[in-house]
Amino acid sequence: MLPQPTRGDLPVRFGPGVPAVPPIGPATLDADVYRDPERYERERVRILNRSWQIICRSEQIPDPGDHHVWEGHGESVVVTRRPDGGLAGFHNVCRHRGARIVPESGTGARRFTCRWHNWAYDIEGRLTDLPDREDFDQDVLAGLCAPALDLDEWGGWVWAVLAGPGVAAPLRDWLGPEISADLGAYHMEDMRLAEKVEWEVDVNWKVCVDAFSEYYHAQALHNVPPKEARDARHSTIHVFGRHGMMVVPFMGVLEDLQRTLDHTMLANCNYQLFPTAVVNSNRLHTQLFRAVPLDVDRTRFEAWELRYDSDDEEYRETVGLFWSIFKGVIQEDVDQWAELAATRRSSAYRENVLSDRECLITHFHRVCEDMLAGGDGLDPTPRPDGAPAAG
């Protein structure tokens, strides 16, 4: 039977008495947050490596020895499925002379061997064998392993903290109770990956996150009909800790949504999961949009399409049609980033001017500033003028 996500006992996110926007207000944002290479290097260390990030779907590594190689912002890591069903993960860097150990994802591995000098590691990253062991300092070899990741699973996703265990709060604490419950209502763990599409774009990674954190662009860029644009003015925006949420009514159901207050059933719910992911969920299917930084002005942008595991042909045809349309919409966003790439070094590009309904962007950048300053992202204190604090 096809799941039917509903709000149930979740808090009301839409309707009478629910503020349309949080008290963040309009803001400006210095253009250098997107183009300063020194800042990007700080982001790699202080934001990206210290945060929980999605690595892959759990279904991609279902059995013992199955492994997934993930690479981004200068890092290469391996996540494996242990015989007990748990996860192990480590940086994909040989402790001998720094070569990549595992070149690609695969299945059924019992160990990994660096092909340069045959240093061998078990699936948890521990050095187990090497040629001519007696030639090395035995004290250095004792207990040698590739640096470990912090790992967990939630929503059918494998998550990791690249800086290692204990650096970030546990995953469910990182997500917080609001995101865990609200996004959890869609039961992504019951979905299957239908398609993943990738683009490499010449913009900073935060441009991609920003693009899916506001609806303001839809009428101009995506030619949304005026009636749908008017209904979308009733959208509500929320922030929860580091993360955010936007509730956009389906076209033609505004009155029903105002009556039932069931945003899970009658709206597109957009969840900004700090730092690199935005999840777009509705009752039929879900998309993950993820920015994988490659350099200060280069990003791998990914769109993942998830669907419920169902043999219902009508359902499969319906979501297949919706996804084919939606991929065209996403392409319009991607194409627009070329216009940003063309001006990223322009002397005339000095700041972004953000409205109060673009407040998820403002909040996201304030969280970034807090982490750059050494915080945990939970104290995004702005300057008195409303702009993010200096990084």
Side-chain angles (χ1 to χ4, degrees):
M1 184 176 179
L2 189 65
Q4 289 291 318
T6 61
R7 182 173 68 85
D9 295 329
L10 291 172
V12 175
R13 305 292 188 205
F14 187 99
V18 177
V21 295
I24 294 175
T28 58
L29 183 65
D30 194 306
D32 281 348
V33 304
Y34 302 103
R35 61 188 182 189
D36 181 351
E38 293 183 3
R39 177 194 171 95
Y40 171 73
E41 290 302 317
R42 296 199 308 273
E43 290 174 348
R44 290 180 58 236
V45 175
R46 299 186 185 184
I47 298 175
L48 298 167
N49 281 5
R50 292 173 54 209
S51 300
W52 283 99
Q53 294 195 64
I54 289 171
I55 299 297
C56 64
R57 290 290 292 169
S58 297
E59 67 187 273
Q60 293 178 278
I61 49 171
D63 300 316
D66 292 353
H67 53 281
H68 185 84
V69 175
W70 181 90
E71 294 181 331
H73 53 87
E75 307 287 358
S76 178
V77 301
V78 182
V79 177
T80 66
R81 184 70 66 184
R82 300 196 312 251
D84 65 2
L87 296 172
F90 54 90
H91 282 265
N92 193 15
V93 180
C94 184
R95 297 303 305 272
H96 179 215
R97 284 166 60 187
R100 185 170 61 176
I101 304 166
V102 188
E104 59 188 4
S105 304
T107 60
R110 295 184 178 180
R111 69 176 189 171
F112 303 110
T113 302
C114 176
R115 65 181 182 181
W116 198 6
H117 298 93
N118 282 344
W119 279 42
Y121 300 80
D122 67 16
I123 64 170
E124 299 196 34
R126 293 181 292 245
L127 180 67
T128 59
D129 194 20
L130 68 154
D132 304 325
R133 178 184 287 268
E134 66 276 8
D135 293 344
F136 291 85
D137 185 328
Q138 301 306 300
D139 291 336
V140 172
L141 294 182
L144 197 64
C145 59
L149 313 176
D150 202 359
L151 295 165
D152 205 346
E153 293 179 271
W154 182 85
W157 297 100
V158 174
W159 305 67
V161 179
L162 274 60
V167 172
L171 175 58
R172 283 156 185 78
D173 292 341
W174 176 271
L175 292 173
E178 297 90 353
I179 292 291
S180 297
D182 216 290
L183 180 53
Y186 295 96
H187 297 287
M188 290 185 291
E189 65 275 9
D190 296 332
M191 295 180 174
R192 295 293 177 266
L193 177 62
E195 188 177 5
K196 176 186 175 186
V197 187
E198 296 184 3
W199 297 262
E200 191 166 310
V201 292
D202 294 328
V203 294
N204 182 268
W205 66 279
K206 297 184 294 296
V207 167
C208 303
V209 178
D210 293 349
F212 292 90
S213 299
E214 49 87 4
Y215 195 79
Y216 183 48
H217 70 282
Q219 187 169 12
L221 185 60
H222 303 315
N223 296 311
V224 166
K227 173 65 166 62
E228 183 176 349
R230 287 194 299 271
D231 286 357
R233 287 287 298 173
H234 293 271
S235 300
T236 57
I237 300 169
H238 310 265
V239 294
F240 309 117
R242 305 171 187 87
H243 316 292
M245 176 184 180
M246 181 167 54
V247 179
V248 183
F250 290 152
M251 184 167 57
V253 304
L254 180 59
E255 291 184 2
D256 289 341
L257 179 55
Q258 291 171 329
R259 175 177 51 82
T260 66
L261 307 181
D262 193 345
H263 62 277
T264 307
M265 190 72 174
L266 296 173
N268 274 313
C269 295
N270 182 282
Y271 301 88
Q272 185 193 76
L273 305 183
F274 187 87
T276 57
V278 177
V279 177
N280 182 66
S281 291
N282 62 56
R283 64 183 180 84
L284 292 178
H285 57 154
T286 284
Q287 295 81 41
L288 171 80
F289 306 123
R290 177 170 63 172
V292 180
L294 302 176
D295 207 334
V296 62
D297 54 6
R298 193 160 57 92
T299 302
R300 183 174 75 245
F301 175 68
E302 304 170 350
W304 304 56
E305 161 75 355
L306 305 182
R307 300 173 190 170
Y308 291 110
D309 191 11
S310 173
D311 293 328
D312 186 317
E313 285 300 324
E314 183 178 358
Y315 167 75
R316 294 160 69 97
E317 289 178 7
T318 298
V319 294
L321 175 61
F322 286 166
W323 173 236
S324 66
I325 295 171
F326 201 34
K327 278 193 292 186
V329 174
I330 298 168
Q331 186 66 56
E332 292 172 345
D333 289 289
V334 173
D335 291 344
Q336 177 60 30
W337 297 337
E339 308 307 320
L340 294 178
T343 63
R344 64 184 181 272
R345 292 185 176 86
S346 169
S347 61
Y349 177 40
R350 300 174 183 177
E351 66 179 10
N352 291 356
V353 180
L354 302 171
S355 74
D356 62 349
R357 297 188 68 84
E358 295 173 292
C359 57
L360 284 184
I361 298 175
T362 303
H363 179 72
F364 164 72
H365 285 274
R366 289 176 179 174
V367 175
C368 287
E369 296 296 339
D370 185 47
M371 292 196 71
L372 282 177
D376 59 6
L378 295 177
D379 184 24
T381 304
R383 297 200 307 260
D385 63 0

